[in-house]
Amino acid sequence: MRTLTSLLGNSQRLDGGAMFGNAPRALWSRWIAPDDQNRIPLACRCLLVRDEGRILLFETGIGAFFEPALRARYGVVEPEHVLLEELATAGVDPADIDTVVLSHLHFDHAGGLVTAWREGEPLALVFSRARFVVSRAAWERARAPHPRDRASYIPAINELLAASGRLDVVDPEADAEAAARALGPGYRFHLSHGHTPGLMLTEVEMPAGPVVFCADLIPGRPWVHLPITMGYDRYPELLIDEKRALLEDLAGRGGRLLYTHDAEVALSGLGRDERGRFRAVDEHPAVVALAT
């Protein structure tokens, strides 16, 4: 049997204007209230999948690798490694994880791969036996970033992954069976380039309909609305086209969305309003051993 459980990584508070691109504050502040520094609360949510004796982890959150000054700069709330605490609560040791799937390697999605900051101590991978799956385009971008997004990557994490001997770089555009080869039957990769090259969304087949871990293509419920994008997105118009294609496909198949950055809702269904616009429905603040 396959079960899904949402886990929290460390949370952030980031500038609301940056998170909503060209949407005005008068609009986005109705959806998420900013603090006195114009920041909004964001989760860094992960997905744990237990699948016939295997344990898969999708993303690792931002983690706690930043030194205190950088932790404050990037709005990381908790000093401790929250994902490790969440795994322990779920009865999982980091050494139990068979596969870690990374949608991309921006630090708010991959930082939980490594140990928490300790003065004078080097970072180390916390998953001692897991294979790490990332798309070829995302890996190449992480190794040679553009000046616009260079600060989103941590070279030490790239070096640790490369040296691990357990990095599995896949190319879903060239290999339609990439997900099956990497994860087994019942999984599908969707590749997107609007946020960053090679953003890889994983679709998990479930009895009641597929669940898509939608990463930064759709960070949370407000971004289900097609025109809403982030200031961090590389090509917003392309992202909107990619989002439309995914949502129209999922709407026809009873698909559900697992959100990385929504501070209040982990999973929702997909519906349309009276004007035909996509919207989140059937919202769940957390997912615990979902098997349907």
Side-chain angles (χ1 to χ4, degrees), residues 55-71:
I55 303 180
L56 291 71
L57 180 65
F58 293 84
E59 298 203 347
T60 63
I62 196 169
F65 68 91
F66 277 130
E67 61 184 82
L70 289 177
R71 182 165 65 86

Side-chain angles (χ1 to χ4, degrees), residues 119-133:
E119 189 168 9
E121 296 184 12
L123 297 176
L125 293 172
V126 298
F127 301 102
S128 60
R129 50 175 292 274
R131 293 167 51 251
F132 305 103
V133 181

Side-chain angles (χ1 to χ4, degrees), residues 40-230:
I40 60 172
L42 297 168
C44 291
R45 190 174 285 105
C46 314
L47 176 65
L48 184 76
V49 178
R50 291 180 169 94
D51 191 348
E52 302 294 342
R54 297 180 302 138
I55 303 180
L56 291 71
L57 180 65
F58 293 84
E59 298 203 347
T60 63
I62 196 169
F65 68 91
F66 277 130
E67 61 184 82
L70 289 177
R71 182 165 65 86
R73 178 187 300 177
Y74 289 107
V76 183
V77 176
E78 308 89 355
E80 67 275 10
H81 201 313
V82 173
L83 175 59
L84 299 187
E85 296 178 352
E86 291 269 301
L87 285 169
T89 299
V92 177
D93 187 89
D96 296 334
I97 303 293
D98 295 290
T99 305
V100 177
V101 182
L102 300 159
S103 68
H104 60 309
L105 286 162
H106 287 172
F107 62 68
D108 57 326
H109 298 258
L113 287 170
V114 294
T115 48
W117 177 82
R118 296 287 184 272
E119 189 168 9
E121 296 184 12
L123 297 176
L125 293 172
V126 298
F127 301 102
S128 60
R129 50 175 292 274
R131 293 167 51 251
F132 305 103
V133 181
V134 66
S135 81
R136 182 170 304 281
W139 177 244
E140 290 174 353
R141 181 70 164 208
R143 301 281 276 182
H146 188 275
R148 187 175 184 270
D149 64 356
R150 191 183 310 279
S152 296
Y153 297 101
I154 306 301
I157 292 178
N158 299 339
E159 293 164 7
L160 287 167
L161 288 173
S164 71
R166 293 177 277 122
L167 179 63
D168 188 357
V169 178
V170 300
D171 191 349
E173 288 182 318
D175 179 7
E177 299 299 318
R181 295 183 204 284
L183 308 179
Y187 298 90
R188 174 185 176 189
F189 290 145
H190 299 266
L191 214 59
S192 163
H193 301 290
H195 175 67
T196 189
L199 181 74
M200 190 167 70
L201 318 180
T202 304
E203 176 179 320
V204 185
E205 182 180 309
M206 298 296 288
V211 173
V212 172
F213 191 96
C214 39
D216 278 344
L217 182 69
I218 309 172
R221 291 164 296 160
W223 294 268
V224 171
H225 187 39
L226 287 179
I228 303 302
T229 61
M230 296 188 288

